[in-house]
Amino acid sequence: QDYFSANNIKHIDYKDIDILKRFINPNGKIMGHKKTGVTAKNQRQLTAAIKQARFLGLLPFVVK
């Protein structure tokens, strides 16, 4: 079971920065679903949420 199913999260929101940070590696890249164990459907939602948060300045594109 993936993280979102286990915690009963239906919609992945771009404003939940603490949750999104779990799926970004130390360099700032989005980790793949094989490494995180997230289903493919949730991985697509997660990627879209991370990209939206980056665009709005909530998450960094790269880490210094």
Side-chain angles (χ1 to χ4, degrees):
Q1 233 182 6
D2 72 345
Y3 175 82
F4 300 105
S5 300
N7 292 318
N8 201 18
I9 298 172
K10 299 267 188 280
H11 177 70
I12 302 169
D13 196 17
Y14 70 92
K15 291 173 271 187
D16 294 332
I17 302 304
D18 297 329
I19 293 174
L20 297 180
K21 280 184 180 177
R22 292 172 175 245
F23 301 99
I24 297 176
N25 71 10
N27 295 326
K29 293 184 75 176
I30 301 170
M31 290 192 280
H33 77 99
K34 287 182 181 178
K35 194 163 198 173
T36 58
V38 179
T39 61
K41 182 179 178 182
N42 284 342
Q43 180 71 23
R44 289 192 296 271
Q45 286 183 350
L46 176 67
T47 302
I50 290 173
K51 288 179 180 179
Q52 191 170 3
R54 282 177 174 169
F55 180 75
L56 294 172
L58 301 174
L59 283 174
F61 280 93
V62 292
V63 179
K64 292 182 182 176

